[in-house]
Amino acid sequence: MSTVIEHPVQARLVAAVPRMTVIPSTLHYDTDDPFAVRMTFPGPATLEGVEVCWTFARELLTEGLRDAHGLGDVRVLPYAEGRTALEFHSPEGAAVVHVATDELRQFLAVSAAVVPFGCEHLHLDLDEDLAELMRDVL
């Protein structure tokens, strides 16, 4: 049975649309995908006007609270006292948001209470995942 955690956060948009400086965003954690975190931004905050969801490693978020981490589309790094920067890169451009570090730590603590760090693999159903892949092949 899947457990889903949704944690609202206030993200401050550093670059992009000046009309919205604070974006009510949501962090998601789902035990069906125990290594991942999703961050959703509402439509009014995006250039296309539709909700945008970024998926990245929970470990990236954890490590990014201490030091800059991430080489691909998402980077997480400490910014200033009490804030963490999240950079999102796509072919259309880049956006940087700042989130209160305490909010991120609270989210990570709740996710760790459900799936402790290092135990993510225990929540994977490899047989089911393999069967799903094989259904697509056959």
Side-chain angles (χ1 to χ4, degrees), residues 59 64 73:
E59 182 178 8
D73 296 340

Side-chain angles (χ1 to χ4, degrees), residues 12-16 23 77 79 85-89 94-98:
R12 292 205 171 271
L13 191 60
V14 175
I23 304 166
L77 56 150
Y79 178 70
L86 291 93
E87 298 177 1
F88 301 96
H89 300 267
V96 178
V97 296
H98 292 168

Side-chain angles (χ1 to χ4, degrees), residues 29-98:
Y29 183 74
D30 186 341
T31 57
D32 279 349
D33 193 2
F35 289 100
V37 167
R38 289 181 299 127
M39 188 166 190
T40 305
F41 298 96
T46 68
L47 295 175
E48 298 82 21
V50 296
E51 182 178 275
V52 171
C53 183
W54 287 84
T55 302
F56 50 96
R58 179 170 71 155
E59 182 178 8
L60 172 65
L61 184 59
T62 303
E63 296 296 326
L65 297 180
R66 291 185 289 263
D67 295 305
H69 275 78
L71 299 173
D73 296 340
V74 180
R75 288 184 39 102
V76 181
L77 56 150
Y79 178 70
E81 186 75 27
R83 288 188 288 169
T84 299
L86 291 93
E87 298 177 1
F88 301 96
H89 300 267
S90 74
E92 292 80 26
V96 178
V97 296
H98 292 168

